Amino acid sequence: MDKLRIDSHKLMYHIPRLYQWYKGKEIYPIYIEIGLYGGCNHRCVFCAFDFLKYKPQVLDIKCVNKFIVEAAKKEVKAILFSGEGEPLLHNKIAEIICFTKKKGIDVALSTNGVKLDKEKLNKILGHLTWIRVSLNAGTRNSYASIHGTERKDFDTVINNLKEAVKIKNKHKHDCTIGVQSLLMPQNYKEIPSLALRLKNVGVDYLVIKPYSQHFSSKNSFSFAFKPKELCRLEEDLVKCSDDNFKIIFRNQAIKKIKEDKPYEYCLGLSFATHITAEGDIYPCNAFIGNKKFIFGNIYNESFKDIWEGKRRKTVMKMLHDKWDVNKCRKSCRIDEINRYLWELKNPNKHINFI
């Protein structure tokens, strides 16, 4: 069972904000993803942001901390440090994570895990709600090929995960340690062995999700798995699962790969947003790099002026009136939120028969 609701959404836990939105009021986002660093130490074959060319853009700590203060005042609940590059390459990331948590915002980190060394772990683990490592192979050779790096990085990541579990247990940190793997033709046969290895390491879960094409990415894979193959894989993985180690097989995301979206426009953009390492605020990561979708830049304007400003309203109206949501990724981060909101706005005539 997916108690973390990774394959679903959590909007029902934010009824006051949801009610404000339902009544047509302007709301601030619950969740923000921030890219601290534009460059990356890997060249993954599945990278959604390859078209950005891995520019080593650094989001200045003074700027991001100023934004975090503003975000806390606007009751932003959570920030994920991830973005278009590898966040652990930012040399001030530990300070930024600690500052964010100190301001009352929940913090999470998504990383390839190579730079997740003991020194960083001791500084950040006690401040994180969760950390998720992207690990997409079960052997050194496959890892090097898929991640576009050296074979030794596979061992480094595994050892860093062991260290994370050790530090968590020693200090009784309330941080969920997870691993995510994209399901691709190159790696699906190795996923069961990876799961067993991670179970022995002591991480909390392994989530399996399908590759989903970003419409600007140069990379492309076809999701050509047969139902029997997926069923067999899930059955093999479930055998590894127990009370301490969960397998989260994202069946909902997999089913949606070949579906059109059941909503006409994106309603969830009021509840989440994305900030790049250049300081630009976008509706979501699908539009990164396309300047006509930028709400504003946190170097130049306050969060309030951007979020309540004319530019954002113009972009949101354009997305509502002219953007075809079926151009978006088939299984985007806020797809489940959109399905939920669309049903709220377009109920069927039987809703009173509860």
Side-chain angles (χ1 to χ4, degrees):
M1 183 178 178
D2 180 13
K3 292 184 178 180
L4 298 175
R5 301 186 67 85
I6 290 174
D7 202 27
S8 184
H9 73 91
K10 310 176 187 76
L11 204 54
M12 74 289 291
Y13 298 114
H14 300 276
I15 296 299
R17 196 89 53 110
L18 178 60
Y19 185 72
Q20 287 180 312
W21 172 86
Y22 185 77
K23 289 297 184 181
K25 296 180 179 179
E26 191 68 68
I27 63 167
Y28 276 81
I30 295 168
Y31 161 88
I32 298 175
E33 183 173 340
I34 298 179
L36 293 175
Y37 191 80
C40 191
N41 51 342
H42 283 182
R43 293 294 182 269
C44 300
V45 297
F46 55 82
C47 181
F49 300 115
D50 55 352
F51 63 96
L52 296 175
K53 300 180 180 179
Y54 311 101
K55 299 173 184 176
Q57 184 74 40
V58 182
L59 190 57
D60 180 71
I61 186 172
K62 291 181 180 178
C63 180
V64 71
N65 283 354
K66 177 178 177 290
F67 173 82
I68 286 164
V69 170
E70 294 180 83
K73 290 178 180 177
K74 297 301 181 182
E75 298 185 322
V76 170
K77 301 295 184 184
I79 289 177
L80 169 64
F81 292 113
S82 178
E84 63 274 28
E86 169 51 51
L88 289 177
L89 293 177
H90 194 294
N91 63 3
K92 298 291 184 181
I93 187 169
E95 291 92 329
I96 293 170
I97 287 173
C98 294
F99 184 82
T100 306
K101 185 62 178 178
K102 184 179 179 181
K103 293 301 173 183
I105 299 176
D106 289 344
V107 195
L109 175 67
S110 180
T111 172
N112 61 39
V114 175
K115 298 295 183 180
L116 193 63
D117 54 43
K118 184 177 180 179
E119 182 181 359
K120 286 191 181 75
L121 284 165
N122 275 311
K123 290 179 179 178
I124 68 176
L125 209 58
H127 301 279
L128 293 170
T129 300
W130 56 264
I131 186 169
R132 187 179 300 150
V133 172
S134 176
L135 180 53
N136 300 277
T139 65
R140 297 178 184 89
N141 287 338
S142 293
Y143 181 87
S145 176
I146 291 170
H147 280 256
T149 187
E150 299 179 43
R151 294 168 74 250
K152 65 180 182 179
D153 277 0
F154 179 81
D155 299 315
T156 298
V157 173
I158 294 296
N159 289 332
N160 287 346
L161 285 167
K162 289 178 180 177
E163 190 63 40
V165 172
K166 181 180 176 181
I167 292 171
K168 172 185 173 177
N169 293 338
K170 179 181 178 181
H171 297 285
K172 298 182 179 179
H173 291 317
D174 189 21
C175 174
T176 303
I177 301 172
V179 172
Q180 176 172 283
S181 288
L182 289 179
L183 193 56
M184 300 177 289
Q186 297 97 318
N187 70 357
Y188 80 99
K189 291 182 179 179
E190 296 180 3
I191 296 295
S193 63
L194 174 64
L196 185 59
R197 183 190 290 264
L198 294 172
K199 180 179 181 179
N200 292 331
V201 167
V203 303
D204 295 301
Y205 69 81
L206 168 64
V207 59
I208 310 297
K209 63 177 288 188
Y211 170 83
S212 178
Q213 178 73 25
H214 188 292
F215 55 80
S216 296
S217 177
K218 298 176 183 177
N219 298 320
S220 179
F221 298 101
S222 60
F223 191 79
F225 294 100
K226 297 177 181 178
K228 286 185 178 179
E229 291 177 314
L230 294 173
C231 184
R232 192 180 306 117
L233 176 59
E234 186 175 12
E235 288 175 354
D236 289 341
L237 290 171
V238 166
K239 295 174 185 176
C240 290
S241 188
D242 59 26
D243 290 342
N244 297 314
F245 176 69
K246 299 297 182 185
I247 297 291
I248 302 169
F249 198 82
R250 294 194 58 182
N251 281 307
Q252 291 293 333
I254 290 170
K255 284 194 296 184
K256 290 183 290 189
I257 290 296
K258 296 184 178 180
E259 293 181 359
D260 283 338
K261 298 185 185 297
Y263 45 88
E264 295 177 10
Y265 41 84
C266 190
L267 294 168
L269 296 178
S270 295
F271 296 90
T273 198
H274 189 108
I275 302 175
T276 69
E278 292 182 316
D280 292 323
I281 301 186
Y282 285 91
C284 73
N285 62 26
F287 301 103
I288 291 176
N290 191 332
K291 295 190 180 299
K292 72 179 182 180
F293 292 102
I294 295 174
F295 290 158
N297 187 286
I298 62 173
Y299 281 106
N300 304 324
E301 302 171 79
S302 70
F303 186 31
K304 181 180 185 297
D305 287 344
I306 294 171
W307 201 255
E308 298 180 17
K310 182 179 178 180
R311 172 67 183 170
R312 177 176 170 271
K313 289 179 172 63
T314 299
V315 173
M316 291 290 282
K317 187 176 188 306
M318 177 173 58
L319 288 169
H320 182 281
D321 296 344
K322 298 180 180 180
W323 180 255
D324 180 2
V325 292
N326 285 304
K327 291 180 180 179
C328 294
R329 301 175 86 166
K330 289 295 184 180
S331 184
C332 76
R333 187 183 297 276
I334 56 177
D335 179 76
E336 285 292 326
I337 290 176
N338 278 325
R339 290 167 185 254
Y340 176 66
L341 295 175
W342 188 261
E343 191 172 354
L344 281 179
K345 287 288 190 179
N346 301 275
N348 68 65
K349 63 183 180 181
H350 296 176
I351 61 170
N352 293 330
F353 296 89
I354 61 173

